[in-house]
Amino acid sequence: MTKPVNGSGPVIIDCHGHYTTTPSALREFRTAQLAALRDGTAPPAPATIRDDEIVESIERNQLRIMRERGSDLMILSPRASGMAHHVDDPAVARAWARASNDLVHRVAGLFPGRFAPACQLPQTPSGGVEDAVAELRRCVAELGFVGCLLNPDPSGGYWAAKPLTDPFWFPLYHELVTLDAPAMIHVSASVNPSIHDLGAHYLNADTSVFMQLVRGELFERYPTLRFVIPHGGGAVPYHWGRYQGLAARLERPPIDGLLRNVFFDTAVYHQPGIDLLHRVVPVENILFASELLGAVRGDNPATGAGWDHTRVYVDRAGLDDAALRKVYEHNARRVFPRLEAHLP
Amino acid sequence: MTKPVNGSGPVIIDCHGHYTTTPSALREFRTAQLAALRDGTAPPAPATIRDDEIVESIERNQLRIMRERGSDLMILSPRASGMAHHVDDPAVARAWARASNDLVHRVAGLFPGRFAPACQLPQTPSGGVEDAVAELRRCVAELGFVGCLLNPDPSGGYWAAKPLTDPFWFPLYHELVTLDAPAMIHVSASVNPSIHDLGAHYLNADTSVFMQLVRGELFERYPTLRFVIPHGGGAVPYHWGRYQGLAARLERPPIDGLLRNVFFDTAVYHQPGIDLLHRVVPVENILFASELLGAVRGDNPATGAGWDHTRVYVDRAGLDDAALRKVYEHNARRVFPRLEAHLP
């Protein structure tokens, strides 16, 4: 779909981007924070970052690519691997989430109509969800965030947390439902040497959570709760028949019922994958995404474009204009209703 | 592909079946074994199982379905979730692997030309690989097994083992290469409540191991080592572009190079998944499999056949006869050269 110059095409909303190009002062703050934790000294003051540093870091990277590829609005969250929830200190997690979230909030303010912020939650392997609830409320209710990243494995690759269907998580779901905001399921860095984050942990988390939802009864309790499972749903659409059969074996309802609450993004980096996603998952449940910048690098020889230029694949997936409008715009607006305040 | 009655079609080799229907005496032995471990008492004697019990358990189940679906030969390994490598006692693991392997060996002997055995290895979370090497040698060199199942996560869902590219595993690879036998990558039960075995752990293991191989240099050291990654390769073919991009980002060779040593099976339970597999992975690297009996149950309404009746999908994947012969027969014979002794 070529977007007409007169603007009659859909608003292209990329529901999954990360602020991976933060000014160096943020990482220096993080380094100082971890050093203070290690040494038992006072935590550092938040980083001082000027607006022009933020503008430059976005102009040169995310926004440059968005212009080249014709996307209008990106839901921007902090760098996923940087969330590092495996650092098991609640105060550190709170300060780090606040610093990271305040920065994506500033990006959205500096580029109105271009970025809508989604927040990192201050999760830890041993802690409860109270801090996550408080930061979610601050970000969404006070600052206009449109959703959050929810990490189902704060241990960083060792899967020590309870399944997302466990009552442990219910206070967070209560808040999400109250705020009418969805959660994108997204783990952070793997600190397990057997599990690569970008090449295994991210996809495995998507797969594991979907199966948790097949087994559990979460949406019977929270019928308006919405999860976006990124990276095309991990292994799930490729194994859709397996899940249909497993649901029968486990005497659970047909998995189609989950599609009232579960959505998949298009961060799948080749044409056959995107084609399969659209063949298996109803178009109402697919949200355009690129995951930039940038899990993968380099160009796809079949297209001459970057591997993560997922518009190329979506445009060639054989969808009619009405379906493309759903994937590019309408589904994101439905799943993230607070996007309305950020539309250009 | 309809198999002609005169036998001129390919030999249909199912490279991935499990003896999930063992006579109850085997499970009683296992229960007694675990009770003795718990109580510190003497281990039980191996179960006494009559030939007719084995024959009945196979005739009514695996062989009945093979006849219905027209497969000729199945590579049969012990029940995967039953391997239970998380039980961290080397003597128990040795006795359990031996009992399980001796039983699939008896199946192969009772049904010549119908079943070729693949062995369970006596792995444990804390142990080395010496016991696995010894059992592999016994099974392959003495008993005619054609390969083994290699568990990359003996901890059962907590991923405590070293990656398969670590020298920890090299003695096992040396033996596999010496015996010219491949390993199928296959985890066992998940004892992690967040990770369902059939719906997450199995697929995640396939995905994680492929990424370990992308990062490591294993096949530069063992150029003739062969791995079969089951369940259609987990999430890998669906995310093939992601792996191509990640290999570039990590400055590793193009992932196509792994296809000299890595093969995928067709245990993917719907047409779109099988179509994607064939669109992405060269036909030389795909081995027919059903994973019966039986990860999933029930029938696929699109075919009227069982979800795990994967011949239906493979036959409809648009392959010509030469390609189908590779998937059904020739690839398995090339990857598992010791199959020759078991062919009908």
Side-chain angles (χ1 to χ4, degrees):
Chain A
M1 172 174 273
T2 307
K3 191 170 180 207
V5 187
N6 65 10
S8 72
V11 180
I12 308 286
I13 301 172
D14 183 340
C15 80
H16 182 186
H18 296 294
Y19 193 12
T20 47
T21 58
T22 48
S24 58
L26 186 76
R27 297 206 191 196
E28 287 156 18
F29 165 74
R30 177 62 170 171
T31 302
Q33 190 192 37
L34 295 178
L37 175 65
R38 185 190 63 226
D39 301 338
T41 55
T48 301
I49 299 174
R50 298 188 313 274
D51 280 356
D52 66 286
E53 294 176 289
I54 296 174
V55 167
E56 184 182 353
S57 74
I58 290 284
E59 283 273 10
R60 288 193 178 184
N61 295 295
Q62 286 82 358
L63 194 58
R64 172 183 59 78
I65 297 172
M66 288 166 68
R67 286 188 176 120
E68 288 171 7
R69 300 182 182 175
S71 28
D72 296 298
L73 179 67
M74 175 182 281
I75 299 180
L76 187 73
S77 54
R79 189 167 65 97
S81 64
M83 298 189 297
H85 294 127
H86 63 274
V87 177
D88 203 0
D89 184 280
V92 165
R94 284 194 302 268
W96 178 228
R98 177 177 276 263
S100 301
N101 292 334
D102 285 349
L103 209 57
V104 294
H105 178 241
R106 288 176 65 192
V107 172
L110 289 165
F111 297 95
R114 280 300 204 175
F115 295 97
C119 63
Q120 163 182 339
L121 300 177
Q123 300 180 244
T124 57
S126 310
V129 295
E130 303 77 13
D131 289 346
V133 170
E135 180 66 3
L136 175 70
R137 190 182 300 131
R138 182 183 82 92
C139 288
V140 176
E142 296 178 23
L143 302 178
F145 280 55
V146 301
C148 69
L149 305 185
L150 171 57
N151 185 345
D153 174 26
S155 73
Y158 292 101
W159 288 93
K162 294 183 190 300
L164 290 190
T165 49
D166 190 274
F168 172 84
W169 303 98
F170 287 179
L172 186 62
Y173 302 152
H174 177 80
E175 192 66 27
L176 285 166
V177 165
T178 302
L179 295 167
D180 199 18
M184 175 174 278
I185 306 301
H186 209 308
V187 287
S188 183
S190 167
V191 289
N192 185 326
S194 288
I195 310 289
H196 190 262
D197 38 21
L198 295 168
H201 192 38
Y202 286 14
L203 306 177
N204 292 351
D206 304 334
T207 307
S208 298
V209 165
F210 187 81
M211 189 61 201
Q212 292 173 1
L213 300 174
V214 170
R215 297 172 81 188
E217 301 184 352
L218 186 58
F219 301 120
E220 292 155 32
R221 176 178 284 261
Y222 293 104
T224 61
L225 181 64
R226 299 181 300 281
F227 287 156
V228 178
I229 303 189
H231 320 107
V236 171
Y238 178 45
H239 287 283
W240 201 248
R242 187 177 188 89
Y243 291 98
Q244 291 177 294
L246 281 172
R249 173 171 172 161
L250 299 170
E251 300 183 342
R252 291 290 301 149
I255 59 172
D256 293 357
L258 292 174
L259 296 175
R260 286 187 291 270
N261 304 86
V262 174
F263 303 84
F264 301 101
D265 82 8
T266 68
V268 176
Y269 297 142
H270 64 153
Q271 192 67 50
I274 290 290
D275 288 351
L276 175 125
L277 176 64
H278 280 97
R279 190 171 164 194
V280 172
V281 175
V283 71
E284 287 73 18
N285 290 76
I286 300 174
L287 276 64
F288 174 66
S290 69
E291 198 190 356
L292 69 79
L293 192 145
V296 304
R297 298 181 190 174
D299 292 339
N300 181 344
T303 63
W307 286 109
D308 61 1
H309 189 353
T310 50
R311 272 200 75 185
V312 172
Y313 317 127
V314 173
D315 280 345
R316 296 178 185 174
L319 304 181
D320 62 25
D321 272 9
L324 280 173
R325 277 177 189 266
K326 290 179 182 175
V327 172
Y328 281 129
E329 177 183 353
H330 294 164
N331 295 340
R333 293 174 70 167
R334 197 175 78 249
V335 174
F336 293 85
R338 288 173 181 268
L339 266 178
E340 297 304 313
H342 296 272
L343 286 168
Chain B
M1 173 175 272
T2 307
K3 193 172 180 205
V5 187
N6 65 12
S8 71
V11 180
I12 308 287
I13 301 172
D14 183 339
C15 80
H16 181 186
H18 296 293
Y19 194 11
T20 47
T21 57
T22 48
S24 58
L26 186 75
R27 298 206 188 194
E28 287 157 16
F29 165 73
R30 178 61 170 172
T31 301
Q33 190 192 37
L34 295 178
L37 175 66
R38 185 191 63 225
D39 300 339
T41 55
T48 302
I49 299 174
R50 297 188 314 274
D51 280 356
D52 65 287
E53 295 175 289
I54 297 174
V55 167
E56 183 181 353
S57 73
I58 291 285
E59 283 273 10
R60 287 192 178 185
N61 295 294
Q62 287 81 359
L63 194 58
R64 172 184 58 78
I65 297 171
M66 289 167 67
R67 286 188 175 120
E68 288 171 4
R69 300 183 183 176
S71 27
D72 296 298
L73 180 66
M74 175 183 281
I75 299 180
L76 187 73
S77 53
R79 189 168 64 98
S81 63
M83 298 190 297
H85 293 127
H86 62 273
V87 177
D88 203 1
D89 185 280
V92 166
R94 284 194 302 269
W96 178 230
R98 177 177 278 261
S100 300
N101 292 333
D102 285 350
L103 208 58
V104 294
H105 178 240
R106 288 175 67 191
V107 171
L110 289 165
F111 296 95
R114 280 300 204 176
F115 295 96
C119 62
Q120 163 181 340
L121 299 176
Q123 300 180 245
T124 57
S126 311
V129 295
E130 304 76 16
D131 289 345
V133 170
E135 180 66 3
L136 175 70
R137 190 182 300 128
R138 181 183 83 91
C139 288
V140 177
E142 295 177 24
L143 303 178
F145 281 55
V146 301
C148 68
L149 305 185
L150 171 57
N151 185 346
D153 173 27
S155 72
Y158 292 101
W159 289 92
K162 294 182 189 299
L164 290 189
T165 49
D166 190 273
F168 172 84
W169 302 98
F170 287 179
L172 186 63
Y173 302 152
H174 177 81
E175 192 66 26
L176 285 166
V177 166
T178 302
L179 295 167
D180 198 17
M184 176 173 279
I185 306 301
H186 210 307
V187 287
S188 183
S190 167
V191 288
N192 184 327
S194 287
I195 310 289
H196 190 261
D197 39 22
L198 295 168
H201 192 38
Y202 286 14
L203 305 177
N204 292 351
D206 303 335
T207 306
S208 298
V209 165
F210 187 82
M211 188 62 200
Q212 292 173 1
L213 299 173
V214 170
R215 297 173 79 188
E217 301 184 352
L218 185 59
F219 302 120
E220 292 155 33
R221 175 178 285 262
Y222 294 103
T224 62
L225 182 63
R226 299 181 299 284
F227 287 155
V228 178
I229 303 189
H231 322 105
V236 170
Y238 177 46
H239 288 283
W240 200 248
R242 188 177 187 90
Y243 290 98
Q244 290 176 295
L246 280 173
R249 173 172 172 159
L250 299 171
E251 300 183 345
R252 291 290 301 150
I255 59 172
D256 292 357
L258 292 174
L259 296 175
R260 286 188 291 271
N261 305 85
V262 174
F263 303 83
F264 301 101
D265 82 7
T266 68
V268 176
Y269 297 141
H270 63 152
Q271 193 66 50
I274 290 290
D275 289 350
L276 176 126
L277 176 65
H278 280 98
R279 189 169 164 194
V280 172
V281 174
V283 70
E284 287 75 17
N285 289 76
I286 299 173
L287 277 64
F288 173 66
S290 68
E291 197 190 357
L292 67 81
L293 195 145
V296 303
R297 298 183 189 170
D299 291 340
N300 182 343
T303 64
W307 286 109
D308 62 359
H309 189 352
T310 51
R311 273 199 75 184
V312 172
Y313 316 127
V314 173
D315 280 346
R316 296 179 185 174
L319 304 181
D320 63 25
D321 272 10
L324 281 174
R325 277 175 190 267
K326 290 179 182 177
V327 172
Y328 281 129
E329 176 183 355
H330 295 164
N331 294 339
R333 294 175 68 166
R334 198 173 78 251
V335 173
F336 293 85
R338 289 174 181 268
L339 267 177
E340 298 304 312
H342 296 274
L343 287 168

